Amino acid sequence: MLDIKEFNYQMLQDVHFRADAAGEYLEDEFFDMVCEDLVEAGELVNFNRAPYTAPKGMRIDGYEDDPFQLDGVLTLIVADFNQSQIISTLTATLMNAVFKRAYNFLDEARSAGFRDRLDESTPAFGLADLIYKRWKGVSKVRLVLITNRALSERVDGRKAEELDGIPITYSVWDLNRLHRFVLSN
């Protein structure tokens, strides 16, 4: 049975191995690896990589699927990958900053002007286009943060909000939660 330090080390090794084998970036492999676990855990039905980062405080890494296929639920995923073997803490400040960037992407993606400024060949354009076209049919938004940091014990999570009257919930899959899930299997 792996303790949390061994689990973190093994996860980093797996990410490096997969990235080397596929010729991909470490963060892309981390995203795929954790999202595969979330599918297995029943947290996601599917996942799609759609990375976007902007200097104006926006970031998104992927999404679940078309909300029309998921009872109107739009799930957006943002990743926070730490390459250090030393386990770092996900503080409330860092967690809120990461979620704020994802929220900003969601807010901007509801406008055609934002979508039209993106390169049409990128997955981020496809996601922004999906949000823009499907927004009126969205009944709930879930923002999911995946990270290999350990959520501070002093953090209670993040309160739900609304955007245009649509509820937004927040979920964190940190190193401890991933460790518990893997051990339970």
Side-chain angles (χ1 to χ4, degrees), residues 35-147:
C35 286
E36 288 165 9
D37 285 343
L38 296 186
V39 168
E40 193 175 322
E43 181 81 7
L44 300 174
V45 173
N46 190 18
F47 62 92
N48 302 279
R49 185 88 169 107
Y52 178 80
T53 305
K56 293 182 182 178
M58 281 189 274
R59 173 165 185 162
I60 207 70
D61 289 285
Y63 62 104
E64 186 171 22
D65 241 335
D66 186 333
F68 276 15
Q69 298 172 353
L70 300 168
D71 297 324
V73 178
L74 172 65
T75 302
L76 301 176
I77 307 161
V78 63
D80 171 54
F81 177 61
N82 178 23
Q83 295 185 35
S84 172
Q85 290 183 19
I86 298 168
I87 298 171
S88 62
T89 301
L90 179 65
T91 63
T93 302
L94 179 57
M95 178 193 70
N96 288 329
V98 172
F99 276 135
K100 180 68 175 159
R101 289 190 287 273
Y103 179 93
N104 290 345
F105 177 86
L106 170 65
D107 192 27
E108 287 292 318
R110 296 175 310 120
S111 78
F114 173 74
R115 178 200 61 190
D116 294 344
R117 290 190 301 274
L118 298 175
D119 180 347
E120 288 184 31
S121 66
T122 65
F125 174 87
L127 174 55
D129 187 56
L130 177 77
I131 292 169
Y132 174 70
K133 289 179 176 173
R134 300 288 201 221
W135 185 250
K136 289 188 184 343
V138 171
S139 60
K140 177 182 177 182
V141 176
R142 291 186 324 141
L143 293 180
V144 178
L145 167 59
I146 57 174
T147 182

